Amino acid sequence: MTKIPQVELRDVSELVPYEKNAKKHSEAQVGKLVKLILKVGWTQPIITDGDMVIIAGHGRRLAALEIARQTGVSKIPVVVRSDLTKEEADALRLADNRVTSTEYDMGMIEEELRRLAAADFDIDIIGFDAAEIEFTTADLAAFDESAFVEDVSSAVESQQEGNKAAAEKVDETAAPVVDALGFKRITIAESRQLRDLVGRMETRTGKQGIAALLEHLGATV
């Protein structure tokens, strides 16, 4: 019959964070944990191995430290799993990360999976599927990059089409004439000469305004 672990009250200072913990905890997440615990109390104990190294609950430990700072209450519920082997504790830690976290340090997870695989531990019980385990424990130096050529080509083509559409949209946007001509002011006399010039080009090309000017310039280049 499986032994049911007992929950104990331990001081948060006794807990030891696992140095290679793959699960990340932002200040925002810890802050939410603090608020939740202060409002409804502890709903889940922290789990450690026999040496008080955390297996599950690194985020809750951070929250407990903040709660102790705010309230002076440092006793928290802990389950000490001294019955687990090192490999079992590591596997349970990875399993906890797998089912509760959405952000991982993949380098740490890869290292842990490699070590468990080398110890002939049955790592498929952790929660990672076969493809994920194969990818994280494979020799990436032998990875077949050609498998991505088709997808990359498609992505590049799609990006080029998007850039072209964006450029066409910008091209149709109205811009001040000064930006095109490069000077801000002309004299009244020069203004009359310019209007006369544009008028003659409109008569010759059959187009109006800037369209006539561009066609004239294109024909003389």
Side-chain angles (χ1 to χ4, degrees):
M1 181 176 180
T2 302
K3 180 181 178 181
I4 299 177
Q6 298 299 309
V7 178
E8 309 172 22
L9 282 180
R10 294 292 191 103
D11 195 283
V12 65
S13 63
E14 297 181 55
L15 304 181
V16 181
Y18 182 59
E19 61 179 7
K20 294 182 180 180
N21 183 52
K23 189 174 180 180
K24 298 177 181 294
H25 300 283
S26 66
E27 291 184 7
Q29 181 196 21
V30 173
K32 291 178 181 179
L33 280 173
V34 170
K35 291 180 180 178
L36 180 63
I37 293 170
L38 288 176
K39 184 173 181 62
V40 302
W42 287 88
T43 60
Q44 187 175 2
I46 294 175
I47 303 174
T48 74
D49 63 17
D51 296 322
M52 299 302 293
V53 177
I54 297 175
I55 294 175
H58 284 82
R60 295 192 293 281
R61 171 186 171 272
L62 294 174
L65 289 171
E66 177 60 22
I67 290 172
R69 187 189 69 81
Q70 292 183 18
T71 68
V73 177
S74 60
K75 297 290 185 179
I76 58 176
V78 176
V79 171
V80 181
R81 294 298 306 271
S82 55
D83 58 309
L84 299 177
T85 66
K86 178 70 168 65
E87 287 74 23
E88 288 172 338
D90 291 341
L92 180 56
R93 185 179 294 109
L94 286 175
D96 179 72
N97 288 341
R98 174 61 175 167
V99 299
T100 62
S101 180
T102 57
E103 184 178 5
Y104 309 108
D105 183 329
M106 292 307 298
M108 290 295 186
I109 288 183
E110 178 184 347
E111 181 179 341
E112 294 290 85
L113 286 174
R114 284 179 181 274
R115 186 167 56 78
L116 288 172
D120 292 327
F121 191 85
D122 185 13
I123 56 179
D124 64 355
I125 67 173
I126 296 173
F128 292 83
D129 61 37
E132 291 170 321
I133 293 174
E134 181 179 358
F135 179 81
T136 55
T137 58
D139 181 4
L140 296 185
F143 198 77
D144 183 10
E145 296 181 1
S146 65
F148 286 99
V149 171
E150 184 176 351
D151 289 342
V152 171
S153 299
S154 176
V156 169
E157 182 179 351
S158 177
Q159 182 65 44
Q160 289 176 337
E161 292 177 356
N163 291 343
K164 181 180 179 181
E168 291 175 349
K169 184 176 181 180
V170 171
D171 288 345
E172 295 173 357
T173 303
V177 174
V178 64
D179 289 347
L181 298 181
F183 47 83
K184 296 182 179 180
R185 301 179 66 84
I186 59 177
T187 66
I188 298 298
E190 290 170 335
S191 176
R192 286 197 297 269
Q193 291 174 340
L194 183 58
R195 285 198 301 272
D196 290 343
L197 175 61
V198 172
R200 290 196 298 273
M201 287 186 291
E202 288 178 341
T203 299
R204 185 182 67 80
T205 63
K207 297 184 177 181
Q208 298 294 314
I210 189 65
L213 176 60
L214 290 175
E215 180 164 320
H216 171 76
L217 293 175
T220 57
V221 172

